Amino acid sequence: MTAASAGAAPERLPLRTKLGFGLGGAAETVVLYSVSSFALLFYSQVLGVPAHLVGLALSASLILDALSDPIVGSISDRTRSKWGRRHPYLFAAAIPIGVAGWAIFSPPPGLDDTGLLIWLTVSVILMRQFMTFFYVPHLALGAELSPHYTERSKVMGYFSFFNWAGGSLTTIMALRLFFPSTPDYPRGLMNPAPWPSYALAIGVITTVCLFASAWLTKDRIPFLPKAAEGTKLFSFSEFFGDLGKALRNINYVWLLAAYFFVALMIGLREGLRLYAATFYWDLSSETLSWFVLGSLAGYLSAFIFAPRLHGRIDKKRTIMISALAYAVIPPIPLVLGMMGVLSPTTPGLAPILIAFAAVQYGAISVLQISVMSALADIADENELKFGVRQEGVLYATRTLAGKIDLAIGTALAGAVITLIQFPRGAKSHAEVPADVLFDLALWDSVLAAIPGVIAVGFYALYGINRESYERTRAALEERRAAAAAERPKTSPDGGLAPAPAE
């Protein structure tokens, strides 16, 4: 299979395209962030399902989702339609994702623990499977919108910034609108009454934004690479061939290995984050909502500076520095808490935590932008070596690796809650023993950082830089020009005429 383009793809993209692509990232985050941040807390502390079983259910959905990612990536790479390789799936997935997202947080009344666990498992599996048909083609679309080294970084910058916007919208909507503190529920997330309304809101917002993203980027379809004529849509032999080509690129393997450890760290931290904020630091819903300022500062800084860092110190060094910062800086407040330096009564605690959050979100955003942009460079290498554009497979195989490890981290977070004997049904800091809070902080800080430090070592082995990128792009352009010059054209009288240079 070879990739062809109906026209020369513009290196610089209009703002509409970048905004439309980014909007898809925001919508993905609304529902995925809701599940990763709230599902464990909702089902275990609000509904009373044992936390380790909730963690296992969430992990099972991630593993099944991960296994489908490369298949959908391969199908997307091989799709031929008037809507291109990516957009048929973007449009088709929007409504099912919203419906499944609503179902996760709106279980039928009267279910016992077993019924609730089954409802969670089925609904979250469906949501993630539907999301695969948007998420994988959407990421692949971002990689192929522009061939330019730093323009790719800008595209992924919009994706990362809109990821923040989706997560921030979800945070503000949840903590300020749906779950404010009340006399009966000083920690508003423990209130069971608003959850069905919250579920409906995230379902509607997700569907509308996903559809809008697909619509706003469809005008780029004529410029995007296309699957060659006669390409099979899917077969297992072709699929494993595609996968084999991706894994034969050693630079891709190093990024996958690093992402295994990053995802493990993220899964554990995300599962424990609200527990630490609500019970260790004793923060109210209103205070938690102010953390959006820290995340805004972090993601806005990354949006502005990540492409500039790629031009100045290159992508590899940017990846290493941001990964190390994300691993070791966020745990500092919890470590200071375990040492007795910080506590829930410390004056100015919230601003201190928000400042650390800004660094945390800035680091993860720079890391995300850099790696996503680097994967587009790897797609160039694979096209040069194998004559095929593999954005779908490359991004999907990476998400497979990450989701499997994220599943382990999520299951571990649920197991940690059970292991440290966190009291089920606790509503505030005062209801949790001090030794349990210490163990919670230890897991969410020092122990969660270890995989992130290991990831930095694998990122150091990544070998593409600006010079190697330029050589690859030059070789690709030379090959395409030669192929265009040799391609026969049909003349007006039905004969063959030489093809003009493209």
Side-chain angles (χ1 to χ4, degrees):
M1 180 180 70
T2 59
S5 177
E11 291 196 346
R12 306 295 180 179
L13 298 170
L15 180 62
R16 166 195 165 106
T17 300
K18 297 174 186 176
L19 291 175
F21 178 73
L23 187 60
E28 293 161 4
T29 305
V30 169
V31 66
L32 293 175
Y33 179 86
S34 294
V35 173
S36 64
S37 295
F38 299 144
L40 179 60
L41 189 77
F42 173 57
Y43 276 86
S44 61
Q45 296 301 121
V46 178
L47 300 182
V49 181
H52 66 285
L53 296 179
V54 177
L56 288 175
L58 296 173
S59 297
S61 73
L62 278 166
I63 291 173
L64 291 175
D65 180 27
L67 296 176
S68 67
D69 280 354
I71 295 175
V72 173
S74 180
I75 292 172
S76 176
D77 284 340
R78 293 172 170 276
T79 295
R80 288 183 58 83
S81 78
K82 67 178 182 179
W83 292 92
R85 297 194 293 172
R86 316 300 180 189
H87 282 78
Y89 306 104
L90 304 187
F91 282 110
I95 292 176
I97 291 170
V99 172
W102 160 80
I104 292 170
F105 293 100
S106 188
L111 295 179
D112 60 10
D113 284 0
T114 301
L116 288 168
L117 195 62
I118 292 173
W119 180 270
L120 168 65
T121 302
V122 172
S123 57
V124 79
I125 285 175
L126 288 174
M127 184 278 292
R128 290 191 181 280
Q129 292 298 318
F130 293 139
M131 180 61 81
T132 295
F133 280 91
F134 189 97
Y135 185 73
V136 171
H138 183 245
L139 280 179
L141 173 67
E144 61 194 13
L145 284 172
S146 172
H148 192 270
Y149 188 72
T150 54
E151 187 73 0
R152 288 171 168 173
S153 300
K154 292 177 183 177
V155 170
M156 292 306 174
Y158 276 85
F159 177 80
S160 181
F161 185 76
F162 273 79
N163 268 180
W164 164 82
S168 298
L169 170 66
T170 305
T171 299
I172 294 172
M173 184 175 64
L175 300 178
R176 288 281 178 174
L177 181 60
F178 289 97
F179 305 106
S181 300
T182 67
D184 292 334
Y185 293 96
R187 298 297 173 261
L189 288 167
M190 304 298 119
N191 185 355
W195 284 97
S197 298
Y198 173 76
L200 180 61
I202 64 169
V204 171
I205 291 171
T206 298
T207 292
V208 170
C209 291
L210 290 178
F211 186 86
S213 175
W215 184 264
L216 290 172
T217 55
K218 71 180 181 66
D219 63 328
R220 313 315 296 171
I221 292 173
F223 302 107
L224 301 177
K226 294 174 173 57
E229 293 185 14
T231 299
K232 295 180 181 178
L233 180 59
F234 181 81
S235 71
F236 279 103
S237 61
E238 297 285 352
F239 164 68
F240 284 113
D242 290 343
L243 196 59
K245 292 183 182 73
L247 295 176
R248 284 162 64 183
N249 189 316
I250 190 62
N251 290 312
Y252 185 58
V253 172
W254 295 139
L255 291 186
L256 283 182
Y259 193 52
F260 264 112
F261 291 98
V262 171
L264 177 60
M265 175 175 61
I266 292 174
L268 183 55
R269 281 183 177 172
E270 283 300 302
L272 299 178
R273 182 176 61 85
L274 279 179
Y275 278 86
T278 302
F279 297 104
Y280 189 86
W281 297 119
D282 198 27
L283 302 177
S284 67
S285 295
E286 288 75 15
T287 302
L288 284 173
S289 70
W290 286 109
F291 277 70
V292 71
L293 296 178
S295 61
L296 171 61
Y299 275 87
L300 186 59
S301 298
F303 177 77
I304 295 171
F305 293 112
R308 299 180 183 181
L309 289 172
H310 296 169
R312 179 163 296 184
I313 66 172
D314 215 71
K315 293 178 186 177
K316 176 180 175 177
R317 291 180 182 174
T318 304
I319 288 171
M320 293 175 59
I321 293 170
S322 58
L324 184 62
Y326 183 63
V328 303
I329 293 178
I332 291 176
L334 286 169
V335 172
L336 294 176
M338 290 186 290
M339 295 171 60
V341 177
L342 295 179
S343 74
T345 60
T346 299
L349 174 66
I352 293 172
L353 297 179
I354 290 171
F356 275 94
V359 178
Q360 171 186 339
Y361 287 114
I364 191 60
S365 180
V366 170
L367 178 61
Q368 180 186 47
I369 293 169
S370 304
V371 172
M372 292 297 186
S373 182
L375 287 173
D377 301 337
I378 288 174
D380 289 340
E381 280 196 339
N382 276 22
E383 182 185 359
L384 183 62
K385 187 172 184 179
F386 302 113
V388 57
R389 297 296 301 186
Q390 286 193 293
E391 289 91 348
V393 169
L394 290 170
Y395 281 90
T397 305
R398 177 183 180 272
T399 59
L400 178 151
K403 286 176 181 176
I404 289 177
D405 222 37
L406 187 61
I408 297 173
T410 302
L412 182 59
V416 166
I417 296 302
T418 300
L419 178 67
I420 65 177
Q421 299 181 343
F422 198 94
R424 195 190 309 181
K427 297 294 187 293
S428 68
H429 170 87
E431 298 178 26
V432 185
D435 60 326
V436 173
L437 290 174
F438 182 90
D439 290 341
L440 173 65
L442 178 65
W443 276 98
D444 195 26
S445 59
V446 177
L447 298 180
I450 294 173
V453 175
I454 295 173
V456 176
F458 284 104
Y459 283 134
L461 299 173
Y462 175 73
I464 298 178
N465 56 29
R466 183 64 179 261
E467 292 181 2
S468 63
Y469 158 83
E470 296 288 359
R471 290 195 299 269
T472 299
R473 292 300 306 178
L476 284 174
E477 293 301 324
E478 182 178 352
R479 175 189 291 177
R480 290 168 183 166
E486 295 174 1
R487 189 183 308 141
K489 299 288 185 179
T490 302
S491 65
D493 63 359
L496 293 178
E502 295 181 1

